[in-house]
Amino acid sequence: MVSPVTVVKSEGPKLVPFFKATCVYFVLWLPSSSPSWFNALIKCLPIFCLWLFLLAHGLGFLLAHPSAMRIFVGLVFSALGDAFLIWQDQGYFVHGLLMFAVTHMFYASAFGMRPLALRTGLVMAVLAGLCYALLYPGLSGAFTYLVGVYVALISFMGWRAMAGLRLVGAAWRWTELAASSGALLFMVSDMTIAFDKFRFPVPYSRALIMSTYYAAQMLIALSAVESREPVEDYELRKAN
């Protein structure tokens, strides 16, 4: 097991560009009412830095660890989603929603289906149902179905991220802790977007959404450092 302290010491320097890019986003705080390619670049820059963070471990690392590669691909779709959401008021909200839906599918695939953790899945299903029930009165047209599917997908991703977390009575790895924390923050970010858009204005919504979102993506990227599934284990599982 790699301790969090060891991970911070070894991986911290590789995350410096991400932290700088995140600071640039919050310092500039460009108005969302004036979308532009420059706005999109500044918003996506921290995610680009997480691409570089994973690539800094070598292309061979990504090729040897299917779960890490899926997280990388998920980050690519995340950047596309971020770019589309810059123009959400111009009709590109659904495009961003679809990009992040694909992201959650790649992340869930990266986290895997073992252990199954049915009780955790049941809790996540109940929370997903509750969130959708609260959002439902504000939904209309295609969003009635699209938001329902999206809530199901992000909840499924959260279930798979948290399934392996064992804090009591068993050894745990940085992978599970980072993945679980990242998934939880991602859900907070996306539910804030949903309630702010479809139900009622959330105070300081943009700051809350973006701070939890960037933290979530960083933690999920970090979870790939101590990858769960070397390519040999992946091929053996497929064979079985």
Side-chain angles (χ1 to χ4, degrees), residues 77-215:
F77 278 97
S78 292
L80 292 172
D82 283 332
F84 278 125
L85 291 181
I86 287 289
W87 287 276
Q88 60 178 293
D89 293 335
Q90 285 71 39
Y92 287 94
F93 181 81
V94 171
H95 299 72
L97 189 74
L98 293 175
M99 292 300 100
F100 279 108
V102 175
T103 293
H104 296 316
M105 288 190 284
F106 272 104
Y107 285 172
S109 177
F111 299 143
M113 290 301 296
R114 295 184 299 177
L116 196 57
L118 289 177
R119 283 184 294 182
T120 302
L122 179 61
V123 171
M124 293 304 300
V126 170
L127 290 176
L130 178 60
C131 286
Y132 184 69
L134 292 173
L135 289 169
Y136 186 79
L139 302 175
S140 61
F143 283 117
T144 304
Y145 310 103
L146 290 173
V147 172
V149 172
Y150 188 86
V151 170
L153 281 173
I154 194 171
S155 300
F156 179 76
M157 184 274 290
W159 169 33
R160 297 323 311 151
M162 297 178 189
L165 187 62
R166 298 289 186 274
L167 295 178
V168 179
W172 52 269
R173 297 190 304 167
W174 170 255
T175 303
E176 286 78 15
L177 183 62
S180 300
S181 302
L184 180 61
L185 287 171
F186 215 137
M187 289 186 285
V188 170
S189 178
D190 279 5
M191 289 304 104
T192 303
I193 292 175
F195 280 99
D196 187 63
K197 185 173 182 66
F198 297 111
R199 292 293 283 139
F200 50 80
V202 177
Y204 308 105
S205 59
R206 185 180 169 193
L208 177 59
I209 289 165
M210 297 311 298
S211 58
T212 52
Y213 170 69
Y214 286 140

Side-chain angles (χ1 to χ4, degrees), residues 12-51:
K14 299 185 186 74
L15 285 170
V16 168
F18 166 79
F19 288 120
K20 288 183 176 180
T22 302
C23 287
V24 167
Y25 174 83
F26 284 105
V27 168
L28 291 180
W29 201 244
L30 298 172
S32 57
S33 58
S34 304
S36 68
W37 285 107
F38 182 70
N39 291 43
L41 173 63
I42 295 301
K43 185 181 181 184
C44 295
L45 195 57
I47 306 303
F48 295 158
C49 291
L50 291 178
W51 295 3

Side-chain angles (χ1 to χ4, degrees), residues 14 48-63 68-69 72 75-76:
K14 299 185 186 74
F48 295 158
C49 291
L50 291 178
W51 295 3
L52 295 177
F53 167 73
L54 290 179
L55 289 172
H57 293 82
L59 184 59
F61 169 80
L62 293 177
L63 294 175
M69 177 62 82
F72 179 82
L75 287 168
V76 172

